[in-house]
Amino acid sequence: MNRWVKFQEIKAAAGIEAVLTHYQWESLRRRGNQVQGRCPIHRGQRPDAFHADLRKSIFHCFSCHAHGSVLDLVAAMEQCSIREAALWLEERFGVKPISPGPERGVGSGGEQKLVRKKERIAAPLSFKLRPVDSAHPYLTQRGIDADTATRFGVGYYAGPGLMHGRVVIPIHDERGRMLAYAGRSLDGAHPKYKMPAGFHKSGVLFNLHRAAACGQDRVVVVEGFFDCMKLHQAGQSGVVALMGCSLSGDQERLLTQRFSHIVLMLDADAAGLSASRMIAGRLTKHGVAEIVPLPAGCQPDQLSSEEICRALSNAARRERASSKV
Ligand SMILES: [Zn+2]
């Protein structure tokens, strides 16, 4: 449910200095009301890129061009929406939330303002989380070797912010520009995957830029990040993940623009099986769409490299046999 957020009050109560202190960004120098140093957002090396004015509570980075109020700073550090940044500040700096909810009537005037989720067009990220540990035991347990993890930029992140203590997975657009990180919890903490609020996974296919670079017209479609990495590790580099088991219109367009032969290898559970049938039905008008059967209840990331290759080659054999008819 939307809550009312008193924007100005939060900005006044939580100065930019307190927020910079919270992040313990050690490389900033202060002179009077001015602060200068390395940028905590994109974490570049330039020692004078980042400027903050403590009196006006604004900042600007001359390298990554991030700038704005204390809310923008928190949104950039936490990879969240402005509204979430406001709630984050409210929580940490004890700004009293405003009691009347939207049921009192939207637009009833006053200075209360409903901070709406700031829709971000998928703009490339201007920073990288580092360091990440690509040899973390969690990845080993899931059968992902350090080479694969490094190739995908995946690893455990111990630094500050939204993704703290999670395995982070960079997500790119079809041109290979990084759009967001997904953060997988290691201990079953909710949510299993954290994504920044402004990011819409339905507009993206995970790993498409690498799969497209293979130059083949055949691609395997899986549900999850780990399925995708396991297939890549098994030598199937033409693979993309839906990040779920539904195919959006945007994803359909991205797929069919590049590939004419689509192999569906979704989870063999009820949701995956019915999604496979539905998606195959939609894709056949664009070319070949086939479904790879897996053992009941099984998902691709539970299979060994040999089992993955066998399942795919059995499907290819069946495909050849049926096309001879
Ligand atoms: Zn910067």
Side-chain angles (χ1 to χ4, degrees):
M1 197 193 85
N2 279 329
R3 273 173 53 206
W4 291 86
V5 178
K6 208 167 194 174
F7 221 9
Q8 293 306 330
E9 209 171 277
I10 290 170
K11 280 206 264 187
I16 209 157
E17 185 175 14
V19 171
L20 289 169
T21 306
H22 167 84
Y23 287 115
Q24 302 177 327
W25 192 246
E26 65 298 323
S27 76
L28 298 175
R29 298 173 306 280
R30 180 174 178 171
R31 186 179 294 162
N33 282 319
Q34 302 294 318
V35 164
Q36 200 177 340
R38 282 175 52 211
C39 173
I41 297 166
H42 81 279
R43 298 178 172 247
Q45 291 304 316
R46 201 176 133 186
D48 60 348
F50 184 85
H51 290 243
D53 185 313
L54 301 181
R55 198 174 41 83
K56 295 182 188 157
S57 226
I58 53 174
F59 75 98
H60 187 102
C61 171
F62 290 92
S63 288
C64 70
H65 305 292
H67 65 277
S69 71
V70 67
L71 288 168
D72 297 294
L73 178 63
V74 171
M77 292 297 286
E78 300 291 322
Q79 287 192 266
C80 66
S81 66
I82 296 290
R83 176 182 160 78
E84 285 179 318
L87 296 173
W88 186 98
L89 284 167
E90 192 180 89
E91 210 175 278
R92 276 164 190 76
F93 294 90
V95 187
K96 290 271 175 293
I98 309 303
S99 44
E103 57 274 14
R104 282 277 190 93
V106 176
S108 57
E111 27 178 304
Q112 290 171 16
K113 186 172 176 182
L114 180 63
V115 183
R116 293 195 183 281
K117 192 159 97 182
K118 192 178 175 187
E119 293 288 337
R120 286 192 208 165
I121 333 152
L125 282 191
S126 54
F127 62 92
K128 271 189 178 168
L129 297 177
R130 41 181 174 233
V132 300
D133 176 8
S134 293
H136 191 273
Y138 177 82
L139 293 167
T140 323
Q141 276 165 30
R142 302 265 329 237
I144 304 298
D145 63 37
D147 281 352
T148 305
T150 305
R151 187 166 178 84
F152 280 79
V154 166
Y156 179 76
Y157 178 64
L162 182 72
M163 297 298 168
H164 171 78
R166 287 179 173 250
V167 163
V168 293
I169 303 159
I171 301 169
H172 301 79
D173 68 7
E174 69 275 18
R175 291 163 59 187
R177 299 175 303 183
M178 189 163 57
L179 300 180
Y181 283 97
R184 175 68 161 87
S185 74
L186 306 190
D187 53 2
H190 183 77
K192 194 158 87 169
Y193 283 99
K194 249 187 206 175
M195 304 251 194
F199 173 71
H200 304 288
K201 64 181 183 179
S202 61
V204 181
L205 285 166
F206 177 69
N207 200 46
L208 176 60
H209 64 301
R210 297 189 196 95
C214 298
Q216 298 164 359
D217 67 347
R218 174 180 172 277
V219 70
V220 184
V221 176
V222 295
E223 289 188 25
F225 301 115
F226 283 88
D227 301 323
C228 189
M229 288 189 276
K230 277 299 272 285
L231 259 77
H232 184 96
Q233 196 166 281
Q236 303 289 334
S237 38
V239 56
V240 298
L242 299 172
M243 299 177 279
C245 67
S246 60
L247 178 77
S248 72
D250 284 339
Q251 289 175 323
E252 179 174 341
R253 188 179 42 76
L254 287 168
L255 260 186
T256 56
Q257 272 173 352
R258 281 163 191 80
F259 306 103
S260 58
H261 184 164
I262 292 156
V263 181
L264 297 168
M265 198 178 195
L266 306 190
D267 298 357
D269 55 16
L273 294 171
S274 93
S276 293
R277 283 191 293 273
M278 207 146 63
I279 294 171
R282 278 165 60 189
L283 293 177
T284 40
K285 61 177 182 283
H286 301 285
V288 178
E290 58 177 308
I291 299 172
V292 179
L294 295 180
C298 173
Q299 51 190 62
D301 77 324
Q302 297 164 334
L303 300 177
S304 68
S305 291
E306 293 72 31
E307 289 167 327
I308 288 169
C309 294
R310 205 178 312 134
L312 284 168
S313 65
N314 286 344
R317 250 199 307 280
R318 262 199 320 280
E319 177 63 32
R320 275 197 301 278
S322 65
S323 62
K324 275 183 202 151
V325 180

